[in-house]
Amino acid sequence: MSNFQLGVIGALFLSVASSVSIVICNKALMSNLGFPFATTLTSWHLMVTFCTLHAAQRLNLFVTKSIDFKTVMLFGILNGVSIGFLNLSLGFNSIGFYQMTKLAIIPFTVLLETIFLKKQFSSKIKFSLFLLLVGVGIASITDLQLNFMGTVLSLLAIITTCVGQILTNTIQKKLNVSSTQLLYQSAPFQAAILFVSGPVVDQMLTKQNVFAYKYSPVVLAFIILSCLIAVSVNFSTFLVIGKTSPVTYQVLGHLKTCLVLGFGYTLLHDPFTGRNILGILVAVFGMGLYSYFCTEDNKKKQLASDLPLASQVKDKDTAPLLAGKNVGNQNEENHEAKKLSKDSVI
């Protein structure tokens, strides 16, 4: 249990550190150096991620596991499409409405998991998520300009992102594959769909051709740095979702938003107002409550699953010798209960 908790903390720290780093790198690349091709850049990120994992696999740093080809192909394409829709949503909407789109991912994920996976969220956790969303909304939303095409793209981005992240968690649990194994097999499909569609999407959004862009040595250096950081970002994303849940990953994403706002003010001297400070404080308070309530819920689930185990052990000790066959059945049930207990904690 302690090893699992250390693994979760390490995954969360890696995700936050790498995501904040790549945001700062990409902001310098796009805002200061004038490289606006976000979707194409993402396809390069995934290509470098796959090549890095392939090299690691050849060095026996991890073992591959066979996954149904159709499943991993559809999963990879879905994740690639969701990235495209998010970029299109940003291009066709105001920044404020795009932030609303990202905020809507959490309640929609909760809704989908409740309906289709029968997952229960306590009222305390829902309240903490509400506080978090209000805080991030106050800190990051400045304007709301609606248009039909932008709204449709935002809805598609929300649906594909939620389903993709739920599948990231479900596939790892159901098929018993690690985050590295799933990312290694799905990254080529994500990269392929974005490599084909990326230049077209970027052409629509920027009115520029990525292949006609003049690449200076400084731009190339930042692109390489961005791709290297992206390996850690992609790996930690699958790792966090696999070890926790899609909702927890989205909560972590909003923590990154608050950190990016803070780093933007500190390092890049972006404008910072009292509204930003208030929103960040409310969001951080909501995150703290979410973490606390999740920990309490997990302890209750662990305790509830341990009680039957304790009673079964007691029954085993007091069972007559003639009931040996039943004892064997109880041992099998204990094994299954321990597996369920572990799953409930995750």
Side-chain angles (χ1 to χ4, degrees):
M1 186 63 188
S2 61
N3 289 337
F4 171 76
Q5 290 175 339
L6 287 175
V8 171
I9 293 171
L12 295 176
F13 177 79
L14 179 63
S15 180
V16 171
S18 57
S19 295
V20 172
S21 299
I22 201 170
V23 166
I24 294 173
C25 177
N26 287 349
K27 185 166 185 177
L29 178 62
M30 296 178 184
S31 300
N32 300 339
L33 299 176
F35 183 83
F37 309 107
T39 310
T40 303
L41 180 63
T42 304
S43 71
W44 297 344
H45 288 170
L46 288 162
M47 288 179 184
V48 173
T49 298
F50 172 73
C51 291
T52 303
L53 290 177
H54 184 67
Q57 187 267 331
R58 294 301 295 269
L59 293 172
N60 296 321
L61 296 179
F62 74 95
V63 178
T64 59
K65 186 172 183 178
S66 178
I67 305 176
D68 177 64
F69 178 79
K70 184 178 179 181
T71 299
V72 76
M73 181 184 70
L74 293 176
F75 170 75
I77 292 174
L78 175 65
N79 277 318
V81 169
S82 72
I83 294 171
F85 278 137
L86 281 170
N87 288 339
L88 284 171
S89 174
L90 177 59
F92 280 84
N93 290 305
S94 64
I95 293 178
F97 193 80
Y98 175 72
Q99 288 294 339
M100 283 291 294
T101 300
K102 292 175 67 177
L103 292 179
I105 291 174
I106 283 184
F108 197 79
T109 302
V110 170
L111 179 64
L112 288 181
E113 290 195 312
T114 302
I115 294 175
F116 295 103
L117 300 182
K118 309 302 180 184
K119 188 173 181 179
Q120 299 298 318
F121 294 87
S122 68
S123 57
K124 292 180 179 179
I125 287 181
K126 291 178 182 177
F127 174 71
S128 64
L129 291 174
F130 173 75
L131 277 183
L132 164 67
L133 297 178
V134 169
V136 176
I138 293 173
S140 61
I141 296 176
T142 55
D143 62 327
L144 285 176
Q145 298 175 8
L146 303 179
N147 64 81
F148 178 74
M149 179 60 69
T151 302
V152 171
L153 290 171
S154 292
L155 288 174
L156 292 173
I158 291 169
I159 293 170
T160 53
T161 301
C162 291
V163 174
Q165 291 181 358
I166 290 172
L167 286 177
T168 301
N169 179 272
T170 304
I171 290 174
Q172 290 185 55
K173 299 285 175 59
K174 297 292 185 182
L175 301 183
N176 194 27
V177 297
S178 69
S179 56
T180 309
Q181 292 167 335
L182 180 58
L183 178 59
Y184 175 64
Q185 297 206 37
S186 63
F189 298 104
Q190 295 183 59
I193 191 70
L194 289 175
F195 187 75
V196 173
S197 63
V200 178
V201 172
D202 290 333
Q203 178 84 34
M204 292 173 56
L205 298 177
T206 66
K207 310 302 180 186
Q208 299 181 52
N209 190 335
V210 65
F211 300 110
Y213 182 83
K214 295 181 179 180
Y215 295 86
S216 67
V218 177
V219 170
L220 288 174
F222 268 89
I223 289 174
I224 293 171
L225 178 61
S226 178
C227 289
L228 293 176
I229 299 173
V231 176
S232 177
V233 172
N234 290 324
F235 172 72
S236 61
T237 296
F238 278 59
L239 188 62
V240 169
I241 295 176
K243 285 185 172 293
T244 57
S245 70
V247 174
T248 299
Y249 175 73
Q250 285 299 321
V251 171
L252 189 68
H254 293 304
L255 171 61
K256 299 171 194 173
T257 300
C258 295
L259 290 175
V260 167
L261 288 172
F263 279 115
Y265 172 73
T266 305
L267 301 178
L268 305 177
H269 305 291
D270 290 342
F272 210 62
T273 64
R275 174 179 172 176
N276 297 131
I277 296 173
L278 174 63
I280 289 175
L281 290 176
V282 173
V284 170
F285 181 66
M287 291 175 205
L289 287 179
Y290 175 79
S291 177
Y292 174 76
F293 292 144
C294 281
T295 302
E296 290 298 308
D297 282 359
N298 284 338
K299 286 181 180 178
K300 290 178 181 178
K301 290 178 182 178
Q302 180 70 20
L303 183 62
S305 61
D306 284 346
L307 286 176
L309 290 177
S311 63
Q312 287 175 8
V313 171
K314 184 177 179 180
D315 291 341
K316 177 183 176 181
D317 292 338
T318 58
L321 293 175
L322 293 177
K325 185 176 180 181
N326 292 332
V327 172
N329 291 336
Q330 288 173 359
N331 286 336
E332 293 180 3
E333 292 171 3
N334 287 348
H335 179 66
E336 291 298 321
K338 288 177 182 177
K339 288 172 61 179
L340 292 173
S341 172
K342 183 179 179 182
D343 290 341
S344 69
V345 174
I346 295 174

